[in-house]
Amino acid sequence: MALSGIAIYKLLPKTNCKDCGFPTCLAFAMKLSQQGIKLSACPHVSEESKQALDASARPPIQLVTVGTGERAFSVGNEVVMFRHEKTFYNPTALAVRVKTSQSREAIAATVAAVDAYSVERVGIHMRLNAIAIDDAKGDPAAFASCVEQVSSITKMPLILISKDPRVMEAGLSKVAGRRSLIYAANSENVAQMAALAAKHGSPLAVQGDGLSQVAEVVEQANKAGVEELVLDPGARGFGNTLNTFTQIRRLALKSKERLVGYPVIAFPGEGSISPEEEALLASQLVIKYAGIVVLDHFAPHHAYPMLTLRQNIYTDPQKPIQVEPGVYPIRDPGRDSPVLVTTNFSLTYFSVAGEVDGSGMPAWLVICDTDGLSVLTSWAAGKFDGAKIAKTVTTHEVGSRVDHRFLLIPGHVAVLSGEIEEELPGWSVLVGPREGIDIPGYLKNVWTARLQGAKK
Amino acid sequence: MPAILVPTEKWAGKVREVTLGGDSRKKVVVGGETTLPFLHFDGVIPHAPAIAIDVEDVAPQNWSPVLGAVWGDVMREGLAAWARKAVEAGADMVALTLRSADPDMGNTGPAEAVEAVKKVLAAVDVPLIVYGPGIAAKDNEVLVAVSDAFAGKRLALGLCEDKNYRTIVATCMANGHIVIANSPIDINLAKQLNILITDMDMPGDRILMDPTTGALGYGLEYTYSVMERLRVAALLGDSMTAMPMILNPGREGWRFKEAKTRDGVPTQWGDLEGRGIAWETTTAIAQLQAGADILVMRHPKAVGLVKRAIASLMATNY
Ligand code: SF4
């Protein structure tokens, strides 16, 4: 929980020396409480105060970064139970697990495929995030060699899985400085695992049977100075993970319980009867509170829907994904194809594009910049009017792409017809359906007839 | 060991219970929750969410080839066979769309609609949802006929929207059916329609609400948050948002090229069959987490996966 400006002020030297660039310590404190600056800007703050402020600056769910470089990911730092209350910030990291019991060829193939996987949606390239390496043999040498092999293939962050500190040490030694996630400390090995985490600067997963046990191990890890933790409370399956992870998030956000204020790691393959079930549970975990999901199977036909779901759920509800304004060809349209005008709200765009695509009829989609607002909202806000539509049609030279001069507008904004025709001499407005779902019928019947009529 | 005390949420509100079917037929009860989905430590969840499977009165023309592969035989055999196979696939209910009433699909009338419903009712004993073709004037025509012909069967009839609600509500009230109140992904419009319907004296336990499915990648996040907000409002005590929710992950999940197109799509999309099924189940699991009480689905494998997930989510003995 962040401290108030006054609380911070009490911890400052109160000398008003201005070295921080602020006229008074109080002004500095106020700015700090809004998290606009760093405490280090005051060179005179005492060590004690620093510690107190650091602790209070920690978010209710710790931010944990795994890996280094371009593909490092961060999880945690979530502030709400429901995405509509604000947003979910740090998308669930998806990892795929290989085991030392697999052949080197099989491991190489999986790692290379996961590393290369990238799929585009709404202009965003979506990727998987990590490789987990599981010490299935309890053998330090075999683990070290497997870690070495994997790290030579990919720069993705790694999750090293072993309960044996000797095995873990052997693995970590092959990826020094890569901030691999250590999985896991438990009540037996926490001292050694925490020491390894501290030595390597690695985040540490903490495993226990239930929340109390997890909290106990967390307490010990904290005492050993390890703060970047990830929790595995032992929950598996749909019902258990939902209830347990909801409790953890609620404890962290509502009860400010520091001992469980960390992101959660889940293993949907454990207990699932098929890769399909694993994938479905992984999707639930993306929605309901997992920070990291470790999959036992990788298949593009499961990865794509899972990543799409993650994109959907982690989109800021206040900032809808917008589509770049412009002219979009659907199904290879030609000079006789209809021209449909709509807004750049991503849902509007996708509904219309989807309907047109589903109708089987090629068309041009003209997308106007409405700041990502839907048809009715943008019209009400004055962001979708005759001038805007005319400007978009002109700027993107729609006239040069078709022989006809018909613009199809959404039924909800039929009132704009006159304005548009005034702004765009030579063009006629056709009022299309209100709902996307009626577009195929409209194109098939009304549009076809209009075009025929115009030709005669 | 540090004592970790989980705070519980005690909500004042409760989702209404709605009973479908009955008479001499099987009943399914949905709703009645006093907690957010599947949070057994907070409240009670008396009924598991139910699964309905879509059937249509004429063989669909533009369904995904993946669906064609599993339903093709019975689509040709006829409605009764299709409905029976739906129940074999695990459907708690059958959702019949009177597609042939669509002017593009045959433009059939009330007599054919009644005949289709009769066939399904004779073939299976689970509750029946009946959808019109989705064109307001035709919906009214066929749904009113069906409502009259099967008074007392507690069918769920839809869609009931702001433009036709008076007709559908009046006939459901007269004949003891349930209305499916559909509004376009908006919490206020959903609530407003429930108020309009209730103002006609429709009993609250005969309304299902359909806040409209945006499929995965096609507005799922909007549906998801609208559902979550509706459910939170219901649990806070707003009786006009407390109707059980019915969603269509089958119809919407299979509508787009992600679930239809095998060739000419990026290789990263993977195998079509698995992708299509996942598109439906992923949409469904999100809706379950947001409060769905009835899911209308399509692929038998998707139904099987979602039913297993529901069983796990309803269990308390882990
Ligand atoms: S530098 Fe520190 S002590 Fe000096 S005014 Fe700023 S906050 Fe106060």
Side-chain angles (χ1 to χ4, degrees), chain A residues 82-84 117-119 121 211-213 215-216 219 237-240 242-243 246-247 250-251 254-255 257 259 273-274 276-277 280 283-284 287-288 300-302 304-305 308-309 312-313 320 345-347 350 354-355 357 437 444-445, chain B residues 1-2 4-9 36-42 104 134 185 215-222 224-225 228-229 232 255-258 267-271 274-275 278-279 281-282 285-286 289 305-306 308-309 312-313 318:
Chain A
F82 305 109
R83 63 186 289 282
H84 64 254
Y117 190 78
S118 171
V119 61
R121 201 170 176 90
L211 299 186
S212 297
Q213 213 183 77
E216 192 187 1
E219 210 166 30
F238 290 85
N240 195 355
L242 173 69
N243 279 267
T246 302
Q247 291 177 345
R250 198 183 284 174
L251 278 161
K254 302 252 164 89
S255 314
E257 176 53 70
L259 291 175
I273 58 162
S274 65
E276 288 73 24
E277 185 162 291
L280 185 58
S283 292
Q284 175 186 303
I287 300 170
K288 287 296 178 181
H301 64 263
H302 285 148
Y304 182 35
T308 303
L309 177 72
N312 285 175
I313 293 297
F345 177 45
S346 74
L347 178 54
F350 278 110
E355 292 297 346
D357 185 63
I437 193 146
K444 227 188 305 163
N445 305 318
Chain B
M1 241 187 235
I4 299 289
L5 277 184
V6 178
T8 50
E9 299 255 24
L36 289 168
F38 313 110
L39 299 183
H40 301 279
F41 63 99
D42 275 344
D104 281 346
I185 318 195
L216 176 63
Y218 290 90
L220 175 75
E221 69 271 38
Y222 301 97
Y224 180 84
S225 286
E228 235 176 18
R229 290 171 62 197
V232 167
R255 207 150 66 91
F256 303 101
K257 59 180 182 295
E258 285 81 350
T267 51
Q268 296 95 315
W269 287 21
D271 157 67
R275 188 202 323 148
W279 222 264
T281 56
T282 307
I285 198 82
Q289 294 304 334
L305 284 161
V306 170
R308 273 183 55 87
S312 166
L313 288 162
Y318 33 77

Side-chain angles (χ1 to χ4, degrees), chain A residues 349-389:
Chain A
Y349 168 78
F350 278 110
S351 316
V352 174
E355 292 297 346
V356 172
D357 185 63
S359 77
M361 293 188 52
W364 300 99
L365 261 190
V366 175
I367 302 301
C368 300
D369 184 359
T370 58
D371 291 339
L373 296 180
S374 69
V375 171
L376 272 178
T377 331
S378 61
W379 171 72
K383 293 183 173 177
F384 190 47
D385 56 14
K388 176 70 67 65
I389 293 170

Side-chain angles (χ1 to χ4, degrees), chain A residues 12-26 28-29 39 41-45:
Chain A
L12 293 177
K14 306 191 196 70
T15 55
N16 300 336
C17 74
K18 302 187 176 60
D19 288 353
C20 55
F22 286 83
T24 62
C25 292
L26 185 60
F28 178 77
L39 178 63
C42 166
H44 312 296
V45 67

Side-chain angles (χ1 to χ4, degrees), chain A residues 340-343 345 347-349 351-352 355 374-377 379 384 408-416 430-443 446, chain B residues 134 136 161-164 184 189 212 255:
Chain A
L340 287 78
V341 177
T342 193
T343 75
F345 177 45
L347 178 54
T348 304
Y349 168 78
S351 316
V352 174
E355 292 297 346
S374 69
V375 171
L376 272 178
T377 331
W379 171 72
F384 190 47
L408 198 50
I409 64 168
H412 280 299
V413 291
V415 293
L416 294 180
L430 300 179
V431 176
R434 288 168 163 245
E435 303 301 336
I437 193 146
D438 299 321
I439 291 175
Y442 181 93
L443 292 181
V446 187
Chain B
E161 300 166 285
D162 62 348
K163 47 187 178 239
N164 70 345
L189 295 179
T212 300
R255 207 150 66 91

